[in-house]
Amino acid sequence: MNRNLWLLTICQGLFLTNNVTFIAINGLVGLSLAPYGWMATLPVMGYVVGGALSTPLVARTQQHFGRKVSFQMGLAVALASAVLCAYAAVTRDFWLLCMATVVAGYYNANANLYRFAAAELASKEWREKAVSLVMAGGLIGAVAGPNLAAHTRTLTAVPFTGAYLALAVVAVLSYLAMLPIAFEPHVATKGHAGGRPLSVLMRQPVFIVAATAGALSFGMMNLLMAATPIAMQQCGLPFSDAAFVLEWHVIGMFAPGFFTGHLIKRFGALTIMALGTLLYALCIIVALSGVALQQFWLALLLLGVGWNFLFTGSTTLSLQTYTSEEKDRAQGALNFFVFATLALSSLASGILVTTSGWAWLNYGSIVPVSVIGGALTWLAVYGRRPRAVD
């Protein structure tokens, strides 16, 4: 890895610090401020809805200003939105908190392109490993996020306000790490660049499966992760236990990044994605076996590793489906599907865990796992068969 990739890895880690801290605290702050309990995860939902709504804008800023300027714009929004979240917590304004997380979604949409930028900073034969290793930077977030939430939640008189202010500092650190990165020279374009239209790109079997697996794997992971702090609180477990479980969950998400690229290179993306699907199924089985700390811990760890295999595999798979001229519209579409699914899963997470309970949340997760498995099987068996010549 060259210096640019190392710095991008740090930025990825700080981005995940932001995400994990948001997941750890937004549901609990929402639960304390929301008019009704089922609205608790609306601030979590706001973050991903903001990401979905920002996807077209991010695609345009990436196209017009290039990677670096667009990423820096995202970090400026991260700083402003963290301060706004802190103010909402102090004033106990639930709807302002939701709005602040929607604004923060612009940063989410921007930083979700770090993995694609990693592939562009590496030679062709290193693309899989570059994507995997930069995503491994999420280990920073795995350790820093839960501990940041745990150690700053009582820093001020209003619970968790200190955590939001700490995220403002994280945004500044990420901005400083971004400054020295030398991305590919950018040439601004007007309108759409060359290449195939998005409608053609989206009809490719490989694109369909990459988009389906990427969106549903992220959606299911978010469904269970966002609900975990609330479910553990309902089971009488302290916040320190929830922070511990989330820490190991995010370690599971990103520690495999040091070798996932090698596995994909050797066995192929579909094989590693199938293994990720199996780990998701095991996560559900463990989660349904009980609600003790060790079961939450193991289920979320399996969920994290499964997500890494599925999401890294789907990202690598998608690289086959577009050219450099088509990257902005293709990557924008892939991220939009992810954010749209995350928005639905965030809302469903709060509703299910506060009304039906942890068990039914996991029963519902069987559906996306089955769809992912079916999509992978379809591509392996039928999607790559050569068409008959008339």
Side-chain angles (χ1 to χ4, degrees):
M1 291 179 71
N2 57 40
R3 186 190 69 165
N4 292 327
L5 284 171
W6 280 117
L7 289 170
L8 193 59
T9 299
I10 292 172
C11 291
Q12 173 75 10
L14 294 173
F15 166 54
L16 265 296
T17 300
N18 182 93
N19 279 13
V20 174
T21 304
F22 259 24
I23 290 294
I25 68 176
N26 274 356
L28 295 175
V29 176
L31 187 63
S32 69
L33 301 181
Y36 303 100
W38 65 267
M39 294 182 174
T41 54
L42 282 184
V44 181
M45 180 182 175
Y47 189 46
V48 293
V49 167
L53 295 175
S54 299
T55 298
L57 178 59
V58 168
R60 286 195 291 271
T61 57
Q62 292 268 336
Q63 186 178 5
H64 186 73
F65 298 109
R67 292 289 196 202
K68 188 166 188 173
V69 174
S70 183
F71 288 154
Q72 289 173 327
M73 291 169 63
L75 290 165
V77 171
L79 171 61
S81 59
V83 173
L84 191 58
C85 283
Y87 179 74
V90 169
T91 57
R92 297 192 59 79
D93 191 328
F94 176 73
W95 297 111
L96 181 60
L97 177 66
C98 292
M99 187 191 77
T101 59
V102 171
V103 172
Y106 180 85
Y107 169 52
N108 196 4
N110 242 302
N112 261 288
L113 295 175
Y114 290 168
R115 69 191 195 276
F116 293 112
E120 296 160 13
L121 291 173
S123 59
K124 186 175 181 179
E125 61 271 16
W126 263 83
R127 290 192 311 176
E128 298 90 345
K129 296 176 182 178
V131 172
S132 178
L133 288 170
V134 167
M135 288 184 65
L139 278 174
I140 298 172
V143 176
N147 283 287
L148 186 69
H151 289 93
T152 59
R153 68 190 181 99
T154 57
L155 196 61
T156 63
V158 180
F160 297 114
T161 303
Y164 289 125
L165 294 176
L167 290 181
V169 177
V170 169
V172 173
L173 294 175
S174 190
Y175 189 92
L176 294 175
M178 184 68 66
L179 281 176
I181 300 179
F183 292 96
E184 291 182 344
H186 174 70
V187 178
T189 58
K190 293 183 179 180
H192 288 291
R196 296 164 292 175
L198 182 59
S199 59
V200 174
L201 295 174
M202 291 175 58
R203 287 200 295 269
Q204 299 173 93
V206 175
F207 188 98
I208 293 170
V209 173
T212 300
L216 291 180
S217 64
F218 221 137
M220 177 183 161
M221 187 275 294
N222 185 67
L223 182 78
L224 296 179
M225 183 172 69
T228 294
I230 297 174
M232 293 182 71
Q233 180 176 283
Q234 291 175 333
C235 294
L237 296 169
F239 181 78
S240 58
D241 283 352
F244 168 77
V245 167
L246 287 178
E247 178 178 351
W248 278 97
H249 167 65
V250 185
I251 288 174
M253 288 174 67
F254 297 104
F258 291 107
F259 57 83
T260 306
H262 296 274
L263 294 176
I264 291 173
K265 193 80 174 173
R266 180 172 181 181
F267 299 107
L270 287 182
T271 301
I272 301 307
M273 291 168 73
L275 180 57
T277 308
L278 176 61
L279 291 175
Y280 267 25
L282 291 175
C283 161
I284 295 172
I285 292 172
V286 172
L288 290 172
S289 68
V291 290
L293 173 60
Q294 62 267 26
Q295 285 151 323
F296 278 110
W297 169 78
L298 182 56
L300 268 290
L301 179 62
L302 291 169
L303 182 69
V305 178
W307 175 87
N308 181 278
F309 288 170
L310 274 165
F311 198 65
T312 306
S314 66
T315 299
T316 303
L317 197 65
S318 72
L319 296 177
Q320 307 172 20
T321 65
Y322 56 84
T323 65
S324 59
E325 294 178 315
E326 301 160 349
K327 69 178 183 181
D328 290 323
R329 68 185 75 118
Q331 293 169 8
L334 290 165
N335 271 354
F336 177 80
F337 294 136
V338 167
F339 286 126
T341 307
L342 284 174
L344 293 174
S345 66
S346 297
L347 179 61
S349 178
I351 293 173
L352 288 173
V353 77
T354 56
T355 58
S356 301
W358 177 247
W360 279 105
L361 191 70
N362 282 277
Y363 283 125
S365 300
I366 295 173
V367 176
V369 172
S370 301
V371 173
I372 294 170
L376 295 176
T377 302
W378 172 77
L379 183 60
V381 176
Y382 300 107
R384 289 183 170 176
R385 284 184 179 178
R387 295 179 180 178
V389 178
D390 294 332

